[in-house]
Every structure is written in C-alpha cells, then in structure tokens.
C-alpha cells in the first residue's frame, strides 16, 4: 500500500469511528436503568442477542434519550397531556374525565399489540375506540400528530418495563402472518426486513448503522423529520426505501407485522419515547 | 428533398440497429451465473460507471461495498465484500452476470438484480417493468469494475 492509500485509509477509519455508535453504552433515564441488550429468545434463533435500536446510535443521539429535558420527544408528550385533558366530541368529555389516573396505563404498552375479539388490537385502536364510542369524537389518523402525542404519553407510563407480547394461543395465527411479511422479499430491490435487520444488523449501509429494527421505543422521535413517528409509518418508510408498495397503515399486514416484531423484542424494555436518526 | 429523405432513412436505420443490439432483460443468457455476451454494442465507459457506482439513485454500490478507489466519497457500506482488486478475483463475464442478476451467482443474496424487469412482488408502480440500470449503464459499471485491480 502506498502512503497516499494509507493516509486515506486512516482518514476513513477516523471517519468511521466518529460515526460509530457507543454500542456498549448503558441506558439510564431519570435514575431508572433500562436494559438495552437481552440474551437469546427461543423464537429468534438467528439472533444471539436482542438489542435496542438505541445501542446502534451515535453517542450524541444516545445522550438525547438519557435526559427527558434533552429528549425532543417531550415537546410532543406535553402536547399529549393537553390533548388528554381537552374536551372533545358530542359527549362533552376529555380522556381525563374517565382516566383520572395515568398510572392505570402502567404496563399496557409492554403487552401491545394484543388480541381482542379475534382481532389484533393496537394502542391506536384503544385511543380511537374511546374517542368514537365514548366521547362521540372523530377518530384520529393512524400516524397523526395528535395520535402519536397521546400514544407517546400512554407508552411513557410503561417505560423500563419488559416487553411481554403474547404470541401463542389466539395470537399464533397473526404471529405467523407477521412472520411471513417479515421474511417476504418485496420491491424492485427485492429485499425482506430480515435481509437488513436480521442478517446485517451492526453493519453500515452507506451512512446508516443497521439495527435489529426493534419497535420497543415507539412512537419514536426522529432527528430526520423532527417529529414523533408511529410504528406503521416506520414500516412504510422502510418499504418505500426498497422500492416496494407499502401496506396500509392500520391494515392487516402491518398489524400482524407489529405483533411479530413486538414479540422479537420480548424481554427488551419499553423506551417510549425514544430518539433515533 | 432527396437529402432530407436520405437523412430520414439513416436516422431510422441507426435507431433500428441500436435497438436490436441491446439484449433485453428476459433474453440474457446465463452460464453458471456468468453472462458472456455484452448487453450492448457500445463499449462500456468506466468514468460513467464510476459515477453510477456511487449514485444513490442508480447503482448505489457504495451503500453495501467499501471501495478504496473511491475514498473521495464518504460512507462506504459493510454489507457486501470490499471490492478492492475485484477484477483479479473474477472474470469479466462473471462480473456481468453478478450485475445483471447476482442471485444467479449467490443464492439468496441481498444484492439487487440490476438488469431484471419482472418477477418482483409489490414493486412500486413507477418501477414496474423497469430495470434498476439500463443495459448501457450495466456495461459502464462493468468496465469500471474491471479497473479495480491490485496485482
């Protein structure tokens, strides 16, 4: 190797180390320790350790999630509090008219999505269910500002709790469907979620450090679009990137995929609201 | 008048001939993952190939491959092998085969097929019936890869 190549190679090494995540960092928020790595899950034999997307981010991004004052998602959580107290709809009620204690939502995020009446029920369904059936208000769009603000507020109540999503019994059929979606190759780039998030996590794909695509931190504040992002909106973005026609937000495929992905993160902690690129 | 007719005739001829000289995606012949025949009559242009290699909307090869010849570009991927000296390791026809459809060479690979226009599932509407790269672009990238030698 000539000296020019050596010089350039070392420049690349430096650039790479700046871009690299602090993969071994520990996460603690407001005195609460949040495990970001858990050992093998029997149903994901391809992965030896389940890791939060947080472990793949640069240290500056990681720091933003360590402190709720620095975490930009909390601007939206505050809006969620206002929305929760706001009267809306023909019944003249706000969420807090009936849910006076936010503490009652503790643990809910960790068990979502779940099966109710033979269907997959997501956090968005619960919020819209109360709005349309109990408040006489309009339903909110799946990934709207109001919806993500309120789902972030509710999810926060479970922060630090281990994810424990049911995958057997009446969930089994949906879990299998979600798994099929996860491994299906789609789009002109002809890739599956697994190609990037199972086979290549830890590798750089151009400027992006690939994670396992876990959903334990949603809704997620992304530096890229400076807002809260729903789980289904993220799925949509990844599908478009591989030139695939995304499934519909709230549709059966994304619901099943959400259930399956949540189960791949069983044992990880709820990090809502997380900060990502 | 005669001059115009002649010019018209020549235009048709060149259009027709250049058309037939491009091998269609469905007509590419593979031999053990390799493609012997050039996809176009025109020689590949390595300078153009280099640009296609780094262009995020075209080859975007750099997304997955580190390439020391391109250290002027930041962010080299780690998903595929380092391409330094790739022309020492593979024959021209093999490299062409990989570009057209790498799955013929590496079963189940993540690397996209750059010259295939069908057989996709849920392809975005605007890419239906299209290849990622044109025949000429494939030949251009190929001629660039052939410059990546270490020996």
């Amino acid at each position: 190797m000539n000296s020019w190549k050596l010089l350039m190679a070392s420049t690349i090494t430096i650039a790479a180390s700046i871009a690299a995540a602090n993969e071994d960092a520990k996460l603690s928020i407001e005195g609460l320790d949040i495990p970001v790595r858990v050992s093998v899950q029997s149903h994901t034999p391809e992965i030896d350790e389940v890791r939060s997307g947080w472990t793949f981010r640069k240290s500056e991004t990681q720091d933003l999630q360590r402190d709720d004052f620095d975490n930009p998602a909390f601007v939206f959580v505050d809006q969620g509090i206002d929305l929760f107290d706001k009267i809306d709809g023909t019944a003249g009620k706000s969420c807090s008219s009936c849910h006076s204690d936010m503490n009652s939502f503790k643990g809910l995020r960790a068990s979502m999505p779940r099966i109710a009446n033979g269907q997959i029920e997501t956090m968005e369904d619960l919020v819209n269910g109360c709005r349309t059936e109990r408040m006489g208000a309009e339903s909110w769009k799946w990934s709207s500002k109001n919806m993500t603000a309120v789902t972030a507020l509710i999810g926060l109540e479970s922060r630090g709790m281990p994810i424990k999503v049911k995958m057997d019994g009446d969930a089994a059929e949906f879990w299998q469907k979600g798994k099929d979606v996860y491994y299906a190759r789609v789009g002109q780039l002809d890739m599956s979620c697994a190609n990037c998030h199972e086979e290549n996590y830890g590798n750089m794909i151009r400027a992006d450090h690939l994670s396992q695509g876990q959903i334990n931190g949603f809704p997620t504040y992304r530096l890229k679009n400076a807002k809260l992002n729903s789980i289904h909106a993220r799925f949509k973005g990844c599908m478009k990137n591989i030139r695939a026609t995304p499934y519909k937000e709230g549709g059966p495929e994304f619901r099943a995929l959400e259930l399956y992905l949540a189960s791949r993160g069983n044992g990880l902690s709820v990090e809502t609201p997380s900060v990502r690129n | 008048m005669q001059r115009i007719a002649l010019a018209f005739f020549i235009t048709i001829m060149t259009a027709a001939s250049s058309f037939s000289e491009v091998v269609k995606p469905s007509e590419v012949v593979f031999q053990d993952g390799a493609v012997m025949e050039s996809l176009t009559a025109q020689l590949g242009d390595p300078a153009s190939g280099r640009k296609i290699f780094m262009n995020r909307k075209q080859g975007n090869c750099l997304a997955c491959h580190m390439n020391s010849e391109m250290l002027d570009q930041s962010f080299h991927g780690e998903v595929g092998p380092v391409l330094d000296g790739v022309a020492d390791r593979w024959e021209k026809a093999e490299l062409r085969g990989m570009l057209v459809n790498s799955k013929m060479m590496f079963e189940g690979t993540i690397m996209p097929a750059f010259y295939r226009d069908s057989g996709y599932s849920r392809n975005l509407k605007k890419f239906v019936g299209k290849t990622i790269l044109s025949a000429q672009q494939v030949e251009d990238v190929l001629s660039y890869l052939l410059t990546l030698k270490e020996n």
Side-chain angles (χ1 to χ4, degrees):
Chain A
M1 207 187 256
N2 62 32
S3 58
W4 177 81
K5 266 197 176 167
L6 258 180
L7 178 73
M8 290 308 272
S10 64
T11 316
I12 279 264
T13 317
I14 294 164
S17 68
I18 292 170
N22 185 0
E23 298 195 34
D24 299 320
K26 298 241 174 359
L27 178 59
S28 173
I29 309 173
E30 315 277 304
L32 178 71
D33 288 335
I34 298 185
V36 286
R37 291 165 173 263
V38 295
S39 60
V40 217
Q41 304 275 300
S42 57
H43 61 281
T44 49
E46 304 79 4
I47 286 182
D48 46 19
E49 193 182 30
V50 179
R51 284 171 59 181
S52 160
W54 184 84
T55 65
F56 297 91
R57 307 281 53 96
K58 293 182 202 169
S59 45
E60 308 89 82
T61 312
Q62 290 182 333
D63 284 345
L64 290 174
Q65 205 185 305
R66 281 201 165 99
D67 186 324
D68 290 349
F69 284 102
D70 295 335
N71 184 339
F74 276 82
V75 173
F76 301 95
V77 172
D78 284 345
Q79 291 172 7
I81 296 174
D82 294 342
L83 285 164
F84 204 81
D85 292 334
K86 192 176 157 196
I87 293 174
D88 195 7
T90 52
K93 291 201 164 33
S94 70
C95 311
S96 49
S97 313
C98 302
H99 303 282
S100 53
D101 184 7
M102 285 300 293
N103 251 316
S104 68
F105 293 132
K106 211 172 172 63
L108 181 62
R109 175 73 264 172
S111 65
M112 298 302 286
R114 64 190 182 193
I115 310 298
N117 305 320
Q119 295 298 319
I120 300 180
E121 188 174 61
T122 66
M123 193 67 90
E124 289 82 359
D125 294 326
L126 294 174
V127 172
N128 272 340
C130 281
R131 284 186 56 80
T132 56
E133 284 156 35
R134 299 192 166 104
M135 295 169 67
E138 302 244 308
S139 60
W140 281 330
K141 280 207 174 129
W142 202 269
S143 301
S144 63
K145 212 177 160 190
N146 289 351
M147 180 62 91
T148 50
V150 168
T151 56
L153 175 69
I154 296 171
L156 178 60
E157 287 298 317
S158 307
R159 191 165 64 181
M161 295 177 73
I163 290 169
K164 209 173 163 218
V165 162
K166 196 179 161 207
M167 38 193 286
D168 54 3
D170 51 3
E173 167 200 345
F174 298 104
W175 185 85
Q176 185 58 48
K177 184 173 177 183
K179 185 177 179 182
D180 293 345
V181 175
Y182 188 82
Y183 286 101
R185 294 216 181 215
V186 289
Q188 196 192 33
L189 301 194
D190 204 23
M191 293 179 194
S192 71
C193 313
N195 284 145
C196 283
H197 293 300
E198 179 174 283
E199 292 162 20
N200 280 293
Y201 69 86
N203 286 331
M204 296 297 292
I205 188 160
R206 204 91 192 219
D208 291 313
H209 195 201
L210 281 169
S211 76
Q212 295 177 348
Q214 297 285 355
I215 55 171
N216 59 314
F218 279 82
T220 282
Y221 178 87
R222 292 190 64 192
L223 300 168
K224 186 183 166 181
N225 57 17
K227 63 170 190 175
L228 288 178
N229 295 263
S230 74
I231 294 169
H232 293 194
R234 192 54 148 130
F235 294 170
K236 209 169 147 181
C238 276
M239 287 189 78
K240 279 192 176 164
N241 283 344
I242 50 178
R243 301 187 172 179
T245 309
Y247 294 105
K248 272 179 80 166
E249 293 187 356
E253 295 86 0
F254 275 175
R255 284 166 181 271
L257 188 57
E258 177 178 341
L259 175 74
Y260 175 71
L261 267 185
S263 82
R264 285 177 75 107
N266 270 346
L268 266 183
S269 297
V270 173
E271 276 177 42
T272 308
S274 65
V275 184
R276 302 286 187 260
N277 295 23
Chain B
M1 185 60 209
Q2 256 185 347
R3 289 249 295 281
I4 292 172
L6 187 61
F8 184 65
F9 180 70
I10 289 174
T11 315
I12 288 182
M13 283 302 285
T14 44
S17 65
S18 67
F19 199 71
S20 63
E21 277 160 17
V22 170
V23 181
K24 290 195 191 114
S26 57
E27 289 165 358
V28 178
V29 179
F30 284 91
Q31 275 174 35
D32 298 325
V35 174
M36 310 295 173
E37 297 270 331
S38 174
L39 303 179
T40 61
Q42 208 181 322
L43 280 178
D45 169 7
S48 152
R50 189 176 191 274
K51 287 192 195 129
I52 296 163
F53 186 105
M54 64 175 84
N55 186 314
R56 285 177 162 79
K57 293 213 149 72
Q58 295 177 347
N60 200 16
C61 318
L62 209 51
C64 292
H65 294 285
M66 150 86 192
N67 175 4
S68 301
E69 193 280 314
M70 234 173 233
L71 293 177
D72 53 329
Q73 296 293 309
S74 49
F75 304 122
H76 295 216
E78 302 170 332
V79 171
V82 175
L83 292 188
D84 298 3
V86 74
D88 301 326
R89 295 194 291 279
W90 297 96
E91 299 294 329
K92 183 175 182 178
E94 291 172 321
L95 291 170
R96 184 185 287 112
M98 286 179 210
L99 288 170
V100 170
N101 183 358
S102 57
K103 286 173 187 87
M104 303 296 278
M105 184 82 79
F106 310 113
E107 209 194 317
T109 185
I110 187 177
M111 179 164 152
F114 290 93
Y115 196 62
R116 202 182 108 194
D117 63 359
S118 61
Y120 296 113
S121 160
R122 298 194 71 80
N123 198 351
L124 270 182
K125 222 181 216 150
K126 63 175 168 178
F127 297 114
V128 169
K130 304 235 165 82
T131 56
I132 300 175
L133 297 179
S134 69
Q136 192 57 51
Q137 286 174 322
V138 169
E139 292 298 326
D140 289 354
V141 173
L142 176 61
S143 65
Y144 168 67
L145 289 181
L146 291 171
T147 67
L148 302 180
K149 289 191 176 188
E150 282 174 329
N151 301 337

